[in-house]
Amino acid sequence: MVAIPSIVVVGLIWLPAISSVILSFTKWNGIGNISADDFIGPTNYRNVATNYPPFWPAMTHNLIWLTVMFLVATPFGMFLAVLLDKEIRATRVYQMALYMPVVLSLALIGFIWQLIFSKDNGLLNAVTGSGIDWFGDQRYNLWAALVATSWRQVGYIMLLYLAGLKAVDQSLREAAAIDGCSESKAFFRVIFPVMRPINIIILVVTFIESLRAFDLVWIINKGRNGLELISTLVTQNVVGEASRIGFGSALATVMLLISSVFITIYLRVVMRVDR
Amino acid sequence: MGTMGAAAFAALAACGSGSTSSSTGGASAGSKASGVVTFGSNQSDAVPKQAYADIISAYQAQSNGVTVTTNTVDHNTFQENINNYLQGSPDDVFTWFAGYRMRFFAEQGLAGDISDVWGNISGQSDAMKGASTGSDGKQYFVPFTTYPWAVFYRPSVFTAKGYTVPKTMDDFYTLSAQIKKDGLVPLAFADKDGWPAMGTFDQLNLRLNGYDFHVSLMAGKESWTDQKVKNVFDAWRKLLEVSQPDSLGRTWQEAAQSLQKGESATYVLGMFVGQQFTAGADREDLDFFTFPEMDSNIGTGAIEAPIDGFMMASKPKNPAGAKDLLTYLSSAKAQEVYVKGDPTVIATNSGADTSTYTSLQKKAVDFIGSAKNISQFMDRDTRPDFASTVMIPAIQTFIGNPSDVDGLVNSIESQKKSIFAS
């Protein structure tokens, strides 16, 4: 019975991951078979770090992305979930409104934010009278993209967290109320700690979503000019006519290494819970 | 029906006699084509899609036995998957581009040799044949349509303001000063998608350093740190002063609209700029002139005019049918059907009837016909990996910070070395 999941995991996750690592030491262009003289050692990694201008900006942007998601978007989503959990009037309407961005297709989200941020025809500049080139100017476009992404992330986290909150034993709240806890105290001292499993999931989701961050910047400008992310660089090099499979694999391996740090932390935390 | 069949048979017999002696296509061109031919098309937009459907049904009506199955794929998806597509089970005939982009796939053995088809092709100039020839001297491509890159403007705006078409770059700057004074943007500009600004680089390089240098730079044979390349960027920095600012957040469609609305006076782009103009009087009010002269020793003989067309899979399931279809697509008759539907391109076959052309199309025919040299486009004239992973970010960096040319060309050169070495 374990055989099928194992085959799936090995076939769909480990094999591609290991192949990427092997390919990252080649100069294979994706055409024909790999031969011995395609192997060029760590040259791709050296090129990534020293001879590829978009790489370090991409690392920085990924880090900024993670920080904003972790410190702004995710806590805000959790905050909204707590508010909505209080059974306020028309809570379903709010839930739907906030969750809407998560259901919309990314092409549509890109289009919506284009209408808002476009320099010449955008809503934002029309209303404020500013002439800022939101998506074209490197000083602003990352932040504009982050606003658009947070819009989605908040709804996503909110729904996950709301589900968790609904599952919290009602008697805990009552006990806290009887003991005279203020609402915020009850949340931080009682509810938040018992929600540990869901908190970990939220944490992992935030990390993974930030590392995978791709779709929106790809729709905006294919991840160039101030919107470089590791994932877009991988795509630019591997997908399409460029076909620098070896070079792109080196970038993918860098990404794999970074994410495995988080996965290791996650696994350790989960294991400890189980014990 | 009987006469049509006979005519088609006569045409095929003529094919056969033309190439029976050649070793390449005896089996295919000699025997009568029949069966099913698959056709992979990247023309997913409504208008060209319909035009292709018309061409294919016209072909089937006269082919007497060949049926064509068309697989239309979204334009960008088609381009991005071309490697997998060609290594998987590609369609017998598929849409592609001339230049390095064609030669690259021919060299990898992913395209079929159609030299024998060229024996039956008429009305395609030697320049077209050259653009269809791989590095081994065989033909791998059938040209279909082409369009020029130039400086587009609205004659009504020029007349109203009393502007004259500039011949040299000095004229252009004098004119730009006047345009600015009139409250217009002298030169519309956009590079959000990364590729449109490549055309401006090409024009400047062709005018400053000439066609031969341009081609050899694109082939990776020249150093990007050469003073000649720095001159191009220096000239571009000056041009940026009269160009529409904030170009990195603007698509070419938005820039074209600013030309259409009369907010910008000129725009360096391909003739597809006309797609942003509504058919009729609006589109009639669109004209172009060649990019101004920058060095009288070099002149303006070199222009840029990318060629779109077709290639054959390396192992087509129906070689005879595929070659028959390719021969038909190279004909004036097939191309006339297409250019009627899309008036921003012209037929490559010199026999095509130009009487139904718009005045812009007629001008494009003369413009391309009288050019001394024709380049394709940066991303068609150089390695695809170099164009997309090095030049797009490099040009965007330059537009964002035009002052550090030395750092820029050093970075391009060292990346070029690592890419062209593989």
Side-chain angles (χ1 to χ4, degrees):
Chain A
M1 272 301 113
V2 226
I4 293 170
S6 310
I7 291 172
V8 170
V9 167
V10 169
L12 294 180
I13 297 171
W14 285 108
L15 278 183
I18 293 169
S19 329
S20 293
V21 176
I22 296 173
L23 283 173
S24 71
F25 295 102
T26 68
K27 55 173 189 182
W28 193 48
N29 64 1
I31 295 171
N33 297 322
I34 306 181
S35 65
D37 51 298
D38 279 334
F39 281 87
I40 50 170
T43 313
N44 284 329
Y45 290 93
R46 205 180 312 128
N47 278 332
V48 163
T50 61
N51 197 14
Y52 189 48
F55 177 69
W56 291 110
M59 290 290 268
T60 320
H61 297 155
N62 264 92
L63 207 65
I64 295 175
W65 202 279
L66 180 68
T67 317
V68 170
M69 289 301 121
F70 190 64
L71 294 182
V72 182
T74 299
F76 190 59
M78 290 161 82
F79 175 67
L80 289 177
V82 173
L83 283 188
L84 289 179
D85 188 41
K86 302 181 99 38
E87 304 290 334
I88 45 175
R89 237 188 321 153
T91 177
R92 297 258 165 216
V93 177
Y94 289 118
Q95 275 182 40
M96 213 176 70
L98 291 167
Y99 192 65
M100 188 77 91
V102 187
V103 212
L104 294 180
S105 82
L106 272 155
L108 196 59
I109 290 186
F111 182 67
I112 290 171
W113 287 96
Q114 206 87 270
L115 291 178
I116 295 174
F117 281 131
S118 160
K119 180 185 179 271
D120 300 341
N121 317 312
L123 180 74
L124 192 59
N125 282 354
V127 170
T128 62
S130 83
I132 293 175
D133 184 10
W134 294 102
F135 276 160
D137 192 325
Q138 296 212 9
R139 281 174 296 174
Y140 306 105
N141 59 8
L142 185 66
W143 306 104
L146 279 168
V147 168
T149 306
S150 301
W151 184 58
R152 201 159 188 259
Q153 175 85 355
V154 164
Y156 184 26
I157 297 293
M158 178 206 73
L159 202 80
L160 278 182
Y161 212 66
L162 198 55
L165 282 171
K166 294 277 183 226
V168 171
D169 194 343
Q170 205 54 35
S171 59
L172 276 175
R173 293 169 202 252
E174 286 161 12
I178 291 166
D179 287 348
C181 256
S182 70
E183 274 200 50
S184 61
K185 217 173 184 182
F187 177 75
F188 284 111
R189 295 280 172 82
V190 181
I191 313 288
F192 190 77
V194 297
M195 289 183 66
R196 193 160 184 271
I198 196 94
N199 289 337
I200 291 172
I201 288 174
I202 298 276
L203 196 70
V204 172
V205 163
T206 305
F207 273 130
I208 300 291
E209 288 286 311
S210 312
L211 271 173
R212 288 192 334 146
F214 170 79
D215 331 55
L216 203 75
V217 297
W218 193 258
I219 289 169
I220 295 172
N221 70 356
K222 299 250 151 95
R224 295 175 177 127
N225 175 42
L227 289 181
E228 293 88 354
L229 294 171
I230 306 284
S231 54
T232 62
L233 299 186
V234 173
T235 312
Q236 280 163 21
N237 281 282
V238 172
V239 179
E241 279 175 74
S243 271
R244 294 171 83 187
I245 306 278
F247 189 77
S249 299
L251 287 161
T253 307
V254 171
M255 199 163 134
L256 182 74
L257 285 176
I258 300 171
S259 24
S260 40
V261 171
F262 293 119
I263 291 165
T264 316
I265 296 172
Y266 168 66
L267 285 178
R268 287 193 62 162
V269 172
V270 171
M271 298 290 180
R272 219 183 297 150
V273 169
D274 288 349
R275 227 185 285 142
Chain B
M1 194 62 215
T3 48
M4 267 179 82
F9 186 77
L12 281 172
C15 305
S17 65
S19 61
T20 35
S21 55
S22 83
S23 58
T24 42
S28 55
S31 64
K32 207 164 148 338
S34 61
V36 176
V37 175
T38 55
F39 172 49
S41 165
N42 64 357
Q43 295 292 354
S44 48
D45 292 345
V47 171
K49 195 176 170 187
Q50 183 54 46
Y52 270 156
D54 293 346
I55 296 164
I56 296 296
S57 57
Y59 166 71
Q60 290 185 139
Q62 59 91 68
S63 75
N64 204 19
V66 183
T67 42
V68 180
T69 322
T70 309
N71 305 317
T72 307
V73 178
D74 164 68
H75 198 81
N76 286 329
T77 314
F78 187 89
Q79 247 105 299
E80 285 177 358
N81 290 330
I82 187 71
N83 273 331
N84 295 334
Y85 172 73
L86 292 181
Q87 292 186 83
S89 46
D91 297 304
D92 295 345
V93 173
F94 58 93
T95 48
W96 201 240
F97 315 102
Y100 195 104
R101 256 176 158 170
M102 170 274 296
R103 288 205 301 277
F104 178 77
F105 291 109
E107 271 169 30
Q108 312 284 339
L110 295 176
D113 173 13
I114 50 167
S115 305
D116 54 339
V117 172
W118 272 87
N120 316 319
I121 286 180
S122 59
Q124 301 274 9
S125 68
D126 286 346
M128 287 298 165
K129 189 169 184 176
S132 309
T133 305
S135 23
D136 57 0
K138 296 173 181 166
Q139 281 78 42
Y140 292 93
F141 181 81
V142 165
F144 191 61
T145 55
T146 181
Y147 57 91
W149 276 69
V151 190
F152 286 82
Y153 70 100
R154 299 201 83 154
S156 65
V157 173
F158 268 50
T159 319
K161 307 271 183 189
Y163 303 152
T164 48
V165 166
K167 290 266 180 288
T168 67
M169 213 53 184
D170 291 339
D171 293 350
F172 182 76
Y173 281 118
T174 317
L175 176 64
S176 294
Q178 183 57 45
I179 295 173
K180 263 190 172 170
K181 215 182 278 171
D182 294 340
L184 268 59
V185 175
L187 185 64
F189 192 40
D191 197 34
K192 186 173 172 184
D193 299 317
W195 56 267
M198 288 175 164
T200 308
F201 179 92
D202 292 349
Q203 297 289 347
L204 289 167
N205 196 19
L206 288 172
R207 291 292 171 268
L208 276 174
N209 300 319
Y211 177 78
D212 293 335
F213 180 83
H214 183 68
V215 167
S216 110
L217 179 71
M218 290 301 128
K221 291 175 191 152
E222 306 283 341
S223 168
W224 282 76
T225 56
D226 192 318
Q227 188 55 43
K228 285 180 162 180
V229 180
K230 290 183 191 172
N231 291 345
V232 172
F233 283 109
D234 288 340
W236 200 351
R237 185 179 327 114
K238 198 176 168 201
L239 197 64
L240 283 177
E241 287 165 18
V242 298
S243 303
Q244 206 173 4
D246 296 325
S247 56
L248 296 177
R250 188 180 298 114
T251 61
W252 71 260
Q253 288 92 342
E254 289 171 308
Q257 282 158 21
S258 84
L259 180 73
Q260 192 264 343
K261 289 183 211 151
E263 293 164 3
S264 304
T266 63
Y267 190 17
V268 175
L269 204 73
M271 201 160 82
F272 54 83
V273 69
Q275 291 168 9
Q276 292 298 310
F277 289 61
T278 39
D282 186 36
R283 202 178 274 167
E284 285 295 310
D285 187 20
L286 177 67
D287 199 355
F288 67 86
F289 56 87
T290 192
F291 197 84
E293 180 181 287
M294 300 181 79
D295 180 341
S296 54
N297 297 319
I298 305 253
T300 57
I303 66 156
E304 189 144 271
I307 304 164
D308 294 348
F310 309 94
M311 288 174 87
M312 187 178 79
S314 58
K315 292 188 192 73
K317 282 171 228 76
N318 183 354
K323 289 178 180 180
D324 193 49
L325 173 61
L326 284 169
T327 312
Y328 179 77
L329 289 170
S330 78
S331 71
K333 219 160 68 188
Q335 299 182 2
E336 281 165 11
V337 176
Y338 186 82
V339 294
K340 216 171 278 169
D342 182 359
T344 62
V345 294
I346 58 168
T348 58
N349 194 309
S350 58
D353 175 22
T354 57
S355 63
T356 56
Y357 273 13
T358 63
S359 46
L360 198 64
Q361 280 175 309
K362 283 180 182 148
K363 187 160 179 178
V365 173
D366 293 340
F367 185 61
I368 293 174
S370 61
K372 256 190 240 133
N373 300 103
I374 301 175
S375 69
Q376 290 297 299
F377 191 71
M378 185 183 280
D379 68 7
R380 300 183 183 204
D381 276 335
T382 189
R383 289 178 60 122
D385 44 5
F386 177 67
S388 64
T389 68
V390 178
M391 286 316 293
I392 287 181
I395 287 176
Q396 291 195 331
T397 306
F398 170 76
I399 294 169
N401 171 24
S403 53
D404 183 22
V405 170
D406 283 334
L408 184 80
V409 293
N410 285 335
S411 166
I412 296 175
E413 177 63 17
S414 80
Q415 292 180 78
K416 180 207 90 179
K417 277 184 184 147
S418 79
I419 285 185
F420 277 83
S422 63

